Amino acid sequence: MNAALAPASTGFAARLRLDALELPALAAIWGVSFLFMRLAAPAFGPVPLVELRLALGAAVLAPLLWRARAQFPLRLWPKLALVGAVNSAVPFVLFAWGAERAPAGIGAITSALTVLFAALVGFVFFGEKIGGRRALALLGGFAGVGVLAAGKTAGAGIGWAVAAGCAAAFLYGVGLHLVRRHLGGLPPAAVAGATLLSAALLMLPLAIAHWPQQAIPARAWGAALMLGLLCTGLAYALFYRLVARIGAARTSLVTYLIPLFGVAWAWLLLDEPVTASMAAAGALILAGVWLARREAH
């Protein structure tokens, strides 16, 4: 090997190995967020838990937002607040509400619907074309939702938790279009910090009003801190680092891994069962996501 090329080649190989590790690491982090919600939501309640999540996530990303502050004039903040509500505050509350009522794996599986809802929202509201494969993908994904909602865990119905997860994924799909159309050209990680901060400020009065009166166990505090610092702030920073290095298309492969990690973490650490309906629903939804992404690219 040419000595002059060796350092560059070695550096490229090292980056390739790092990317190969960071993608599943991001999926594992986002997958474990559903476990942390399951642990913390019963003690905090959905709204106070989400307030902590938003505030801690915004704190982690604050240096990136501060560095890009000149690109965020006051007139832009109403849009940031709207995106923060649609893309963070409300879906986080829905997932936390569902985590009080169903196994952590349910939220992780429904989160994969974001890709399908983004295609549906683009078709219905923004005039984007939807081909045969995407239509089939939507049918398969929503069939998976039906299978999941009809299932039971430990003899209890989970339909409302599934509905909450689907509503959250729908809002994520709307949020993707809002960011693309109204916040394009801005540093993405700084946008994430600004929207989390806006959402935290919007949620603060509700969180104060609903703050639990009873003592909160240490385990719930630990789960809430990990949810905000690791699964929100650091995860967003890692996500945008990957987008910058390997592109949005390759980074979006994390969508396939989050449900797998979410179900695996819940099974391993909470001893939650993996039912036949969860497996069937996950397979249908992920097949739909695969078809939707294949047509998109």
Side-chain angles (χ1 to χ4, degrees):
M1 179 183 291
N2 188 312
L5 296 178
S9 300
T10 303
F12 174 76
R15 287 195 302 273
L16 196 62
R17 287 194 297 271
L18 187 60
D19 295 339
L21 292 173
E22 286 183 357
L23 194 64
L26 177 61
I29 291 169
W30 270 337
V32 82
S33 69
F34 296 95
L35 178 146
F36 290 139
M37 282 188 278
R38 180 71 167 158
L39 290 174
F44 281 95
V47 173
L49 175 61
V50 168
E51 175 62 25
L52 283 173
R53 179 179 187 178
L54 293 167
L56 291 169
V60 172
L61 296 173
L64 299 174
L65 176 59
W66 178 256
R67 190 168 61 188
R69 64 191 182 279
Q71 296 175 259
F72 291 82
L74 284 177
R75 56 182 167 77
L76 187 62
W77 283 87
K79 290 181 180 179
L80 292 165
L82 173 63
V83 172
V86 171
N87 203 42
S88 297
V90 180
F92 285 180
V93 168
L94 287 167
F95 277 127
W97 184 87
E100 289 185 291
R101 293 160 174 79
I106 300 302
I109 292 170
T110 55
S111 71
L113 288 165
T114 299
V115 174
L116 302 181
F117 277 124
L120 184 62
V121 169
F123 172 69
V124 174
F125 296 105
F126 298 104
E128 295 182 0
K129 293 183 178 179
I130 187 165
R133 279 183 181 165
R134 274 193 173 184
L136 184 61
L138 291 170
L139 289 174
F142 296 137
V145 171
V147 171
L148 192 62
K152 292 180 181 292
T153 58
I158 55 173
W160 284 112
V162 172
C166 290
F170 172 76
L171 289 172
Y172 281 158
V174 173
L176 288 172
H177 287 277
L178 291 177
V179 170
R180 189 183 305 159
R181 283 165 171 77
H182 298 292
L183 301 174
L186 295 169
V191 168
T195 56
L196 289 173
L197 176 61
S198 301
L201 293 173
L202 288 172
M203 292 282 293
L204 184 58
L206 277 175
I208 293 172
H210 289 86
W211 195 263
Q213 300 300 309
Q214 72 279 9
I216 299 170
R219 187 174 81 156
W221 273 111
L225 290 172
M226 293 298 288
L227 183 63
L229 295 173
L230 175 67
C231 303
T232 308
L234 290 175
Y236 272 120
L238 178 57
F239 174 76
Y240 289 115
R241 167 188 163 95
L242 278 167
V243 169
R245 286 171 56 174
I246 66 176
R250 288 179 64 190
T251 305
S252 69
L253 293 172
V254 74
T255 308
Y256 299 104
L257 300 175
I258 292 171
L260 303 179
F261 275 106
V263 171
W265 284 124
W267 172 76
L268 183 65
L269 299 178
L270 297 181
D271 200 27
E272 291 185 350
V274 181
T275 65
S277 62
M278 288 171 64
L284 283 168
I285 290 170
L286 290 178
V289 171
W290 177 77
L291 278 174
R293 286 192 71 259
R294 188 175 178 186
E295 180 164 293
H297 299 291

